[in-house]
Amino acid sequence: MDLYEHQARELLAEHGIVLPRAEVTDSPERARDIARALGGRVVVKAQVRTGGRGKAGGVRLAADPAAAEEEARHILGMDIKGHKVGTVMLAEPFDIEREFYVSYVLDRAAGRFLAIASAEGGTEIEEVAAKRPEAVARIPVDPATGVHTAMAVRIADAAGLPPQAVDTLVRLWKALVREDALLVEINPLVRTVQGRIVALDGKVTLDDNARFRRTRWGGEREVPADRLEARAAAKGLNYVKLDGEVGVIGNGAGLVMSTLDVVAGCGARPANFLDIGGGASARVMADGLSVILSDPAVKSVLVNVFGGITACDAVADGIVRALDEVRPTKPLVVRLDGNNAARGRAVLDAHAHPLVEQATTMDGAARRAARLATAA
């Protein structure tokens, strides 16, 4: 679970990391009052769970309270990478002498954490790593021993961070462990002209498996900027709009991603990502089909299901009930495989819907769906 910046700041501050004073609002008028309380000159920052806010115009410096109100009005409602801005954070600015990057992230393949740090902060660390890999230090961290002062000194020396950053590195590790985080990041961590070490921006990703222990987070919900994504989100669907003509429904993110690739390899473009997970009930299928078929760009729909815990005959029954409710006007190609696949195909055969045809393989289903879409 990714936290908003203001939530990440709150978490980091609880562990003794120094951050600028800041406050969040969804009102341009309130932004003026907050700026006045913070001293007049503020940074206005869009609160969305994605990067690239600065490049998108979602981070602006306001010289006075009136400018803060105007900037907040401009940013609120903005679409940043498909995320609609519902709140802004106003923070006091600092006179910066130098910027750094520090983070800890779970390295699943190695079964440990990785400290990533650089003396070149303030930009996307991926760009720095690609252009100047020697400027980014990657230090493995054994979770059994963690980051104590000596380890923090090692990380700081490897990355070229000032000695004053050692305390922040230790506290950042404590935040990761105590808050069940998979990622904690500060970019930039700055040294001000007065010599203070301050975290200007924070990013935190919590482990979903520990959500029951972190109930104070996750209450805020973003409204997707795309109309179909907003409609799908309201129905609890894991849906992403794409620029294609073949609607795709599958059970499991990996299977859906593979299906998108196969559709593209057949000369068509997928119109969406829709993962129904293991709950392919009639209600879920009806909601999914309703969203996909309401997309005017969709010319055909591919349903690709591999039965596991959820049997294919139960999936087929859900499709049949959904068809009766949604009443599609575009062709559907269904591929069922795995648990009770033969029974599932028999259910669809018995229903004999004129717009539904079946395929036995994913490649065959994708080719047929692509052909139907490009011929429409």
Side-chain angles (χ1 to χ4, degrees):
M1 176 174 59
D2 292 330
L3 300 186
Y4 287 99
E5 180 193 2
H6 66 90
Q7 294 173 328
R9 284 170 44 91
E10 180 181 340
L11 183 151
L12 296 178
E14 290 173 358
H15 292 275
I17 294 174
V18 179
L19 298 113
R21 294 180 301 153
E23 191 171 335
V24 178
T25 182
D26 59 1
S27 164
E29 293 77 17
R30 175 61 183 152
R32 176 193 285 262
D33 296 336
I34 294 172
R36 186 178 295 112
L38 292 176
R41 184 168 173 262
V42 294
V43 180
V44 186
K45 309 176 76 173
Q47 295 299 284
V48 287
R49 296 188 181 103
T50 187
R53 294 174 301 169
K55 292 181 178 179
V59 179
R60 294 168 175 259
L61 181 64
D64 53 51
E69 178 180 350
E70 184 62 28
E71 298 294 3
R73 182 170 283 106
H74 176 84
I75 294 173
L76 287 168
M78 179 184 290
D79 176 10
I80 300 179
K81 295 183 178 179
H83 298 258
K84 185 176 181 180
V85 180
T87 57
V88 293
M89 184 182 75
L90 292 92
E92 62 177 334
F94 277 85
D95 294 324
I96 300 170
E97 180 184 88
R98 194 170 176 189
E99 299 182 342
F100 313 99
Y101 174 94
V102 296
S103 71
Y104 298 113
V105 63
L106 176 64
D107 184 347
R108 295 183 184 276
R112 61 193 179 194
F113 283 87
L114 190 64
I116 303 176
S118 175
E120 299 184 18
T123 59
E124 294 184 14
I125 195 64
E126 295 84 1
E127 294 182 8
V128 177
K131 295 177 181 177
R132 299 184 60 246
E134 71 280 2
V136 180
R138 297 173 176 85
I139 309 296
V141 177
D142 184 345
T145 55
V147 178
H148 41 74
T149 300
M151 183 63 174
V153 169
R154 179 186 168 195
I155 295 169
D157 288 346
L161 306 182
Q164 303 98 307
V166 168
D167 180 67
T168 300
L169 288 169
V170 173
R171 293 180 183 276
L172 189 63
W173 175 259
K174 290 179 180 178
L176 178 137
V177 174
R178 294 174 182 175
E179 303 295 338
D180 297 308
L182 302 177
L183 165 72
V184 288
E185 174 188 277
I186 301 174
N187 186 30
L189 178 71
V190 305
R191 182 171 60 199
T192 70
V193 294
Q194 293 81 22
R196 298 178 64 194
I197 297 295
V198 181
L200 293 193
D201 196 349
K203 180 178 180 181
V204 173
T205 300
L206 302 180
D207 187 348
D208 277 340
N209 293 310
R211 189 182 286 265
F212 69 97
R213 287 200 294 258
R214 304 291 167 232
T215 55
R216 66 169 169 159
W217 308 117
E220 299 181 32
R221 293 288 183 265
E222 289 185 22
V223 178
D226 181 83
R227 174 184 60 84
L228 290 174
E229 290 186 356
R231 180 178 173 188
K235 296 177 180 294
L237 297 173
N238 187 12
Y239 171 94
V240 178
K241 178 75 174 72
L242 302 173
D243 297 326
E245 57 280 339
V246 178
V248 176
I249 301 178
N251 63 325
L255 179 61
V256 178
M257 292 296 291
S258 298
T259 305
L260 302 184
D261 290 340
V262 174
V263 167
C266 292
R269 298 176 303 161
N272 66 273
F273 171 103
L274 176 53
D275 172 21
I276 58 174
S281 65
R283 179 73 270 146
V284 172
M285 288 301 304
D287 288 343
L289 285 173
S290 175
V291 170
I292 288 177
L293 293 171
S294 65
D295 182 355
V298 169
K299 305 303 180 184
S300 69
V301 179
L302 170 57
V303 180
N304 187 20
V305 170
F306 186 88
I309 297 175
T310 301
C312 284
D313 55 341
V315 174
D317 183 60
I319 293 173
V320 167
R321 296 185 185 183
L323 291 171
D324 290 338
E325 179 178 333
V326 176
R327 301 186 182 280
T329 58
K330 301 168 185 177
L332 277 75
V333 180
V334 180
R335 177 254 184 171
L336 299 176
D337 199 2
N339 183 15
N340 284 351
R343 293 182 186 177
R345 297 188 196 109
V347 169
L348 293 179
D349 285 339
H351 188 65
H353 194 287
L355 288 176
V356 176
E357 54 184 275
Q358 298 190 63
T360 56
T361 67
M362 181 165 69
D363 287 346
R367 280 194 299 270
R368 181 56 180 161
R371 190 175 299 117
L372 289 168
T374 54

